[in-house]
Amino acid sequence: MKGEIMKQPLRITIGGIAWMLASSIVIAPTPGAAAPRYAGTITGFFDSPVLSGDFLQAGTRLRVSQDNRITTVGSGIGTSSITWGDNSGATLAPSTMTFTGNSFSDVASGQVFPLGTLTYFNGTNSPPSLIFGVTMHLSAGDGIMPFTGPVAIVSTQNGSSDRVADADLLHFSNFEVPSTLGAFEGMAVTAVIFGRIAGESQLEITSIGLAEGQADHGCVDDAPLVDSTPPCASACGDFCAAITLALAGPLCGNEQLPAVLNRRLDQARHLLWQVSGTDSERKAKKRVTLVMKQLRRSVAIARRAAKKGRISAACAEAVGRAVGNAQSQTEPWLLAPPAQQG
């Protein structure tokens, strides 16, 4: 079922910018109320494997039904690392999915922070050995309600012509933004899972983003999964990958940002989510231009907040530096005529 690994330029979605912006956002507490702070370690496991479902044909991406309640080969159910597939006579190992949790401290209610990493290896999977989904459980410790949600596993027959089209996929339908993680053939891709502790101490997952240095191993798409369309087919391509790196990480560490600055960053984040998956260069450029406008306004807001003592001068400088780096990465793509685009 598996073809050779294709070596062609990666095209990834701009959604990663949104994840990095999200990691800097803290929701302000209600005036007069003591804001809870949390510390602990995220742990996780997978169970309830789905043994009947569909895989995608090569080229056509049509769904093919498969019932593997008797034939599935796998291990690790009930642990943080599961394996499935059949590598009999093959050079590649079976597919695996592993969650590694982070420790955290001094996290405010509503603050988005990295919960841990998910590593997905696209190994050898014959149709009778596939699984089609699992349930993911993440816990943050005593007193915090855990997260439970489905992970759909979408395997693709390889046409050996396009590594994005041939990627096998994990789809998370109940994140705030539906997210798809694609692993190229024979590759292990690592993504960061972002979340928060909100409401009545409920652990929530907000989104995922590629870990640093993973662009050659796979991709992430914010757009809802569509069988007929390969994942991560964004018109923004490598330019927005560079912006992602420019905005990587919490912009101000554990500092609580003013509500108006949070809203401005959140608006930019939602604009970026709207661009995810679009293959229209014109629409992508228009929306990225709006995103940059929102980010420049965020710099002005941060500077005013620093003058009033609401955030530190170092925080305002960090916001300005991140936006400036994003601007320098964006301008060549926005200004170049279509004929110059790769």
Side-chain angles (χ1 to χ4, degrees):
M1 181 172 178
K2 297 302 178 181
E4 295 182 357
I5 303 170
M6 303 308 298
K7 296 182 179 179
Q8 62 184 49
L10 173 68
R11 301 196 39 95
I12 66 176
T13 177
I14 72 167
I17 317 170
W19 303 314
M20 301 312 168
L21 284 174
S23 67
S24 71
I25 296 176
V26 179
I27 298 176
T30 303
R37 314 293 291 194
Y38 300 96
T41 300
I42 303 294
T43 59
F45 66 93
F46 305 100
D47 65 7
S48 304
V50 179
L51 303 182
S52 296
D54 303 319
F55 62 87
L56 303 182
Q57 281 185 334
T60 65
R61 299 183 68 81
L62 294 176
R63 286 183 172 264
V64 179
S65 296
Q66 185 77 27
D67 186 344
N68 290 343
R69 285 174 288 182
I70 298 176
T71 60
T72 293
V73 177
S75 63
I77 294 299
T79 74
S80 61
S81 183
I82 62 171
T83 299
W84 69 96
D86 180 6
N87 67 335
S88 177
T91 58
L92 294 179
S95 294
T96 61
M97 177 166 52
T98 302
F99 175 78
T100 304
N102 289 344
S103 297
F104 61 96
S105 62
D106 197 31
V107 169
S109 177
Q111 177 181 345
V112 176
F113 66 102
L115 306 182
T117 59
L118 185 69
T119 298
Y120 176 33
F121 174 66
N122 181 355
T124 301
N125 306 314
S126 61
S129 69
L130 297 173
I131 63 174
F132 304 93
V134 291
T135 298
M136 180 168 65
H137 304 265
L138 298 184
S139 299
D142 293 340
I144 301 173
M145 290 183 286
F147 168 88
T148 299
V151 183
I153 301 172
V154 183
S155 298
T156 307
Q157 285 184 317
N158 294 331
S160 301
S161 60
D162 185 331
R163 67 176 184 171
V164 175
D166 287 349
D168 287 356
L169 312 171
L170 303 179
H171 182 61
F172 308 87
S173 60
N174 64 340
F175 288 11
E176 283 190 355
V177 178
S179 297
T180 298
L181 174 64
F184 301 144
E185 181 63 15
M187 293 288 184
V189 61
T190 297
V192 180
I193 298 181
F194 293 96
R196 64 188 171 204
I197 302 168
E200 298 297 323
S201 297
Q202 172 68 58
L203 181 64
E204 300 175 347
I205 294 179
T206 56
S207 60
I208 59 175
L210 282 185
E212 185 175 358
Q214 295 295 298
D216 284 335
H217 299 168
C219 58
V220 167
D221 200 334
D222 278 352
L225 180 63
V226 178
D227 294 345
S228 59
T229 304
C232 312
S234 171
C236 193
D238 292 335
F239 293 102
C240 288
I243 303 172
T244 301
L245 294 177
L247 297 175
L251 299 183
C252 292
N254 290 327
E255 283 195 48
Q256 183 170 307
L257 304 182
V260 64
L261 182 55
N262 276 331
R263 285 195 298 269
R264 189 67 66 181
L265 293 172
D266 202 30
Q267 288 168 0
R269 181 162 55 103
H270 279 83
L271 284 170
L272 289 166
W273 287 342
Q274 293 173 15
V275 185
S276 297
T278 182
D279 57 2
S280 168
E281 184 179 291
R282 181 183 63 82
K283 290 181 180 179
K285 283 189 173 184
K286 181 178 180 180
R287 290 173 181 171
V288 170
T289 298
L290 292 176
V291 168
M292 293 311 304
K293 183 181 293 186
Q294 294 284 6
L295 294 178
R296 286 192 293 271
R297 290 173 178 169
S298 298
V299 174
I301 293 170
R303 288 172 177 168
R304 288 197 298 269
K307 289 181 178 179
K308 295 179 180 179
R310 301 183 65 189
I311 60 174
S312 67
C315 177
E317 290 175 2
V319 173
R321 185 166 53 251
V323 173
N325 290 339
Q327 179 89 21
S328 66
Q329 299 289 350
T330 306
E331 283 182 347
W333 175 65
L334 292 176
L335 297 176
Q340 298 182 19
Q341 299 302 314

